[in-house]
Amino acid sequence: MNKWQSWVTMGTAPILALGAIVAVSAPSRANSVQVTCNTNGTTPMVILSLAKDGTTKDYMMLNFLPKYFSAVNAVQNCQNAAKSLQTVYDTGSSKYLTADKLKDQPVVCAVERRGIGCNHYSAEVLFILKPVDNPSQALYEMLGRDFKQAQPSDARTLSRTYTDTKPFWWPF
């Protein structure tokens, strides 16, 4: 090894080691969105807690109404949906909730973009409704006011409802 290579090696190794130490020891940033299932009331709800600048605000996203679920199914679906939605927010993988039918079963799922349905390879089914339920109507009625459109979608003009999981008014 000549002198030039020796100096480069001696100078590069400490810089790379220091970079690795800084990367490992840097404090991790807390998630700004926490998704939970609140079962304290009569109806289970998926709650999003947004933390910004030391302040946390809760938003009701989905309300598991008794007209669509038995008491036991409501709690189980709420917990499963909250867990799946937490992954959605952590990974940024899906941006919309939509309702659809899969194998003649009405479902609500998370999708990457408008225009794709719950049968898309990247879609994540959050829960299944009763066979007699209209999935778009059920999703609209279950959504919290901060996630709900002004009016339900018109079935004659739109085949699916798409609800943004990060509305325009979110602080980040």
Side-chain angles (χ1 to χ4, degrees):
M1 186 183 293
N2 66 32
K3 285 184 182 182
W4 176 248
Q5 289 174 328
S6 173
W7 281 104
V8 170
T9 303
M10 287 181 6
T12 306
I15 291 171
L16 292 174
L18 181 61
I21 291 168
V22 169
V24 170
S25 65
S28 63
R29 202 180 95 189
N31 288 341
S32 53
V33 178
Q34 291 297 315
V35 185
T36 57
C37 174
N38 182 336
T39 57
N40 294 337
T42 58
T43 305
M45 293 182 243
V46 170
I47 304 291
L48 272 70
S49 299
L50 301 179
K52 184 177 184 206
D53 301 328
T55 304
T56 301
K57 184 157 177 159
D58 292 340
Y59 298 92
M60 194 276 287
M61 183 177 205
L62 290 168
N63 193 4
F64 287 81
L65 302 170
K67 76 188 258 183
Y68 296 114
F69 304 96
S70 69
V72 172
N73 285 344
V75 170
Q76 186 64 46
N77 284 321
C78 179
Q79 291 170 342
N80 291 342
K83 183 178 176 183
S84 294
L85 287 167
Q86 183 66 59
T87 302
V88 163
Y89 285 102
D90 288 346
T91 62
S93 58
S94 298
K95 305 213 180 344
Y96 297 94
L97 298 183
T98 191
D100 202 354
K101 283 204 170 195
L102 282 178
K103 300 178 184 172
D104 291 327
Q105 288 187 308
V107 297
V108 171
C109 65
V111 295
E112 293 176 340
R113 67 187 190 295
R114 292 178 184 267
I116 62 176
C118 295
N119 62 344
H120 192 266
Y121 72 91
S122 66
E124 170 137 13
V125 175
L126 299 176
F127 51 89
I128 299 170
L129 298 157
K130 293 181 225 161
V132 295
D133 293 334
N134 175 329
S136 291
Q137 182 66 32
L139 176 58
Y140 182 80
E141 290 178 10
M142 291 174 65
L143 286 170
R145 74 172 193 267
D146 293 309
F147 295 90
K148 193 177 282 196
Q149 301 169 15
Q151 297 178 18
S153 299
D154 184 349
R156 293 175 291 149
T157 59
L158 185 66
S159 61
R160 282 187 205 97
T161 298
Y162 290 93
T163 300
D164 200 334
T165 57
K166 291 184 179 178
F168 70 92
W169 48 262
W170 276 26
F172 43 86

